């Protein structure tokens, strides 16, 4: 099938590349000329395991191409995915200006029937707005061309996006006619041939499904962090509690790991956007307001523990930070706990020696830009030299089983603040370490 994908960010690039991998002819469109030229040269703007190799191979095979020319892309395709950003506005709502600008561009440039598919995460009712914008633009042209608008929300986990797309748990499709459903079934058939994972529904329900899924997962995280905070006060061990409740098949183990809060491009934005949508319709989502409030506070738990031990004035103190990205296997620092923790410590006079396998560039150029109290190093052990404690913030695999003897040689004090509850408390304390974790 011939497919155009508008937007070459995280969702757009993964979507286009994975469709090309299955033999479709895909052209990705972006208004950023430099990004398009970089992609043509094999320079990938994001880190995602397995993506770079797949992009290079499919571009070499001419099944995946990149352009800034929307009209030429639409002329050669029947299926168009909208995969541009929907940044969070000041009031928590999703900003649809880029989605609607694309819709207008489609209306201006389409020359035959198009299947227009919302892949961006958008609030309920966005498909209606896209349909209205395309129709309005066609009317201005005096055109009687027809089109379908379809909702196909993405459920990609950063760090596992390629695998998630190639082997999806489900493919949610919102459409209003059998022809659109049939086309989407054919498009996704190579990804779902071994199991029936196609979930068809009306468009608004599909739009809501994306928000509801992320809100549910964020709720599980904040709930477990609340339990961790209670455990810490009453003398219980949240790690044992987690095993106790996770063994219940109705609950399961996914997303009940205590830590220093969730981040990324999805959970914070989607929770707030759903709450804002609810308020716009006269209903207050008290639960989601609490989920967000808990997460805001949880990002400060690690820095609060550091301050409690070392005092409010951290002048002359240096802390090693392992991990900057909001989760492992990505360079994404949007809403990352590391940004909050580092900011809380450095504004009290502390110096930071930070290491992350992939996110250093993001930290330097954006999220911690201008913070001269942060030094970036090339290995986890380099970060420990003359530091007063180590803070584990992102649970990269290379941090799971460090050499604690080597760590002790480099640190000024045998002190660990574990924001992800990765290590064995008993063994560390028997070896003379002070070990601070979440919920114990």
């Amino acid at each position: 099938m011939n497919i155009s994908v508008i937007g070459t960010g995280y969702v757009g690039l993964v979507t286009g590349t994975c469709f090309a991998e299955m033999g479709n002819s895909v052209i990705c469109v972006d208004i950023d000329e430099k990004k398009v030229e970089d992609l043509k040269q094999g320079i990938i703007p994001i880190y995602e395991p397995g993506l770079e190799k797949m992009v290079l191979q499919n571009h070499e095979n001419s099944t995946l191409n990149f352009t800034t020319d929307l009209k030429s892309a639409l002329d050669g395709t029947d299926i168009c995915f909208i995969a541009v950003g929907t940044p969070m506005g000041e009031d928590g709502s999703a900003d649809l200006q880029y989605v609607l600008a694309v819709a207008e561009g489609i209306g201006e440039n389409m020359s035959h029937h198009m299947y227009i598919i919302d892949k961006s995460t958008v609030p309920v009712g966005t498909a209606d707005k896209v349909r209205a914008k395309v129709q309005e633009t066609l009317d201005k042209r005096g055109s009687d061309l027809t089109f379908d608008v379809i909702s196909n929300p993405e459920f990609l986990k950063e760090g596992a996006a390629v695998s998630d797309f190639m082997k999806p748990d489900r493919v949610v499709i919102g459409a209003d006619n059998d022809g659109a459903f049939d086309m989407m079934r054919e498009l996704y058939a190579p990804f779902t041939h071994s199991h029936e994972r196609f979930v068809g529904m009306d468009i608004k329900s599909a739009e809501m499904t994306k928000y509801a899924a992320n809100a549910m997962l964020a709720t599980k995280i904040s709930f477990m962090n609340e339990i961790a905070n209670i455990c810490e006060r009453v003398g219980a061990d949240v790690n044992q509690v987690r095993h106790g409740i996770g063994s219940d098949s109705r609950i399961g183990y996914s997303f009940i790991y205590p830590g220093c809060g969730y981040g990324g491009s999805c959970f914070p934005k989607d929770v707030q956007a759903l709450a804002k949508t609810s308020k716009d319709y006269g209903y207050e989502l008290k639960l989601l307001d609490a989920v967000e409030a808990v997460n805001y506070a949880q990002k400060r738990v690690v820095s609060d523990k550091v301050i409690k031990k070392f005092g409010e004035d951290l002048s002359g103190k240096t802390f090693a930070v392992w991990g900057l990205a909001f989760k492992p296997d990505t360079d994404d620092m949007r809403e990352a706990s590391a940004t909050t923790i580092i900011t809380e410590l450095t504004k009290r006079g502390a110096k930071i020696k930070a290491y992350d396998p992939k996110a250093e560039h993001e930290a330097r150029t954006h999220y911690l830009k201008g913070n001269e109290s942060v030094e970036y190093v090339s290995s986890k052990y380099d970060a420990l030299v003359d530091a007063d404690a180590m803070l584990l913030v992102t649970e990269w695999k290379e941090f799971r089983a460090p050499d604690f003897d080597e760590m002790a040689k480099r640190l000024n004090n045998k002190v660990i603040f574990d924001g992800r509850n990765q290590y064995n408390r008993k063994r560390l304390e028997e070896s003379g370490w002070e070990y601070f974790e979440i919920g114990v």
Side-chain angles (χ1 to χ4, degrees), residues 6-71:
I6 305 178
T8 59
Y10 180 81
V11 173
L13 188 57
V14 171
T15 297
T17 302
C18 290
F19 277 127
E21 181 73 7
M22 287 301 192
N24 297 287
S25 177
V26 179
I27 184 161
C28 293
V29 185
D30 204 291
I31 61 173
D32 188 331
E33 293 183 3
K34 184 179 186 307
K35 182 187 284 189
V36 169
E37 286 304 312
D38 284 348
L39 285 165
K40 288 179 179 179
Q41 299 300 318
I43 301 171
I44 311 303
I46 59 173
Y47 173 73
E48 182 64 37
L51 181 62
E52 181 176 7
K53 180 180 179 181
M54 198 178 284
V55 170
L56 295 175
Q57 182 176 340
N58 282 282
H59 185 55
E60 183 178 339
N61 294 340
S62 298
T63 54
L64 178 64
N65 291 290
F66 306 96
T67 186
T68 58
D69 187 345
L70 177 60
K71 180 171 175 51

Side-chain angles (χ1 to χ4, degrees), residues 107 109 124 139 146 179 206 243 291 304 310 374 404:
N109 292 284
V124 176
D139 290 345
T146 58
H243 283 293
V291 167
D304 287 347
F310 290 98
V374 182
F404 291 104

Side-chain angles (χ1 to χ4, degrees), residues 168-422:
D169 291 329
R170 75 287 206 197
V171 175
V172 173
I173 303 297
D176 57 10
N177 65 82
D178 290 341
F181 279 123
D182 290 344
M183 185 279 297
M184 295 299 286
R185 281 195 181 90
E186 181 181 354
L187 178 62
Y188 275 103
F191 303 93
T192 60
H193 68 277
S194 60
H195 297 282
E196 179 52 56
R197 304 192 185 280
F198 191 94
V199 183
M201 58 186 72
D202 67 85
I203 292 174
K204 289 186 177 180
S205 295
E207 292 172 330
M208 177 60 83
T209 296
K210 167 66 174 181
Y211 279 110
N214 280 348
M216 171 61 81
L217 296 176
T219 299
K220 291 185 72 174
I221 294 170
S222 281
F223 173 80
M224 204 63 204
N225 283 331
E226 284 275 71
I227 295 299
N229 294 332
I230 298 169
C231 285
E232 198 166 311
R233 285 158 175 78
V234 302
D237 184 337
V238 72
N239 299 308
Q240 296 183 42
V241 173
R242 178 177 62 80
H243 283 293
I245 67 173
S247 59
D248 186 329
S249 61
R250 297 170 301 174
I251 298 172
Y253 289 102
S254 297
F255 290 87
I256 62 168
Y257 287 82
C260 49
Y262 60 76
S265 63
C266 293
F267 288 4
K269 178 167 69 75
D270 293 355
V271 167
Q272 293 186 41
L274 182 54
K276 176 61 168 59
T277 297
S278 179
K279 289 176 183 176
D280 289 344
Y281 282 84
Y283 184 77
E284 184 178 0
L285 281 171
K286 297 181 179 67
L287 180 58
L288 289 193
D289 289 342
V291 167
E292 182 67 16
V294 168
N295 193 59
Y296 177 87
Q298 199 68 21
K299 290 183 178 182
R300 288 155 177 79
V301 167
V302 171
S303 54
D304 287 347
K305 289 177 181 290
V306 174
I307 294 163
K308 183 177 180 180
K309 175 170 175 57
F310 290 98
E312 275 286 339
D313 184 1
L314 297 175
S315 301
K317 299 295 182 184
T318 298
F319 300 103
V321 172
W322 284 8
L324 297 168
F326 87 94
K327 63 180 289 188
D329 294 321
T330 181
D331 61 353
D332 194 345
M333 283 190 65
R334 284 174 286 187
E335 302 289 336
S337 299
T339 305
T340 299
I341 293 167
I342 290 171
T343 301
E344 289 297 315
L345 298 180
T346 56
K347 75 181 185 182
R348 290 171 170 83
K351 299 290 186 182
I352 300 295
K353 298 176 77 172
Y355 169 70
D356 188 285
K358 296 295 179 182
E360 178 183 330
H361 178 74
E362 290 294 303
R364 282 183 180 274
T365 59
H366 188 61
Y367 296 96
L368 293 169
K369 183 179 180 180
N371 191 332
E372 297 180 357
S373 296
V374 182
E375 174 188 354
Y376 301 94
V377 296
S378 58
S379 80
K380 60 180 183 286
Y381 292 124
D382 287 346
L384 303 175
V385 177
D386 294 328
D388 294 288
M390 186 275 275
L391 283 58
L392 177 65
V393 181
T394 311
E395 63 274 35
W396 286 91
K397 288 180 181 178
E398 69 173 275
F399 301 155
R400 289 183 184 176
D403 187 327
F404 291 104
D405 291 334
E406 287 298 316
M407 292 174 64
K409 292 176 184 177
R410 290 165 171 78
L411 286 165
N412 291 337
N413 310 294
K414 295 172 70 172
V415 180
I416 294 174
F417 293 90
D418 186 348
R420 300 298 177 184
N421 289 18
Q422 292 287 292

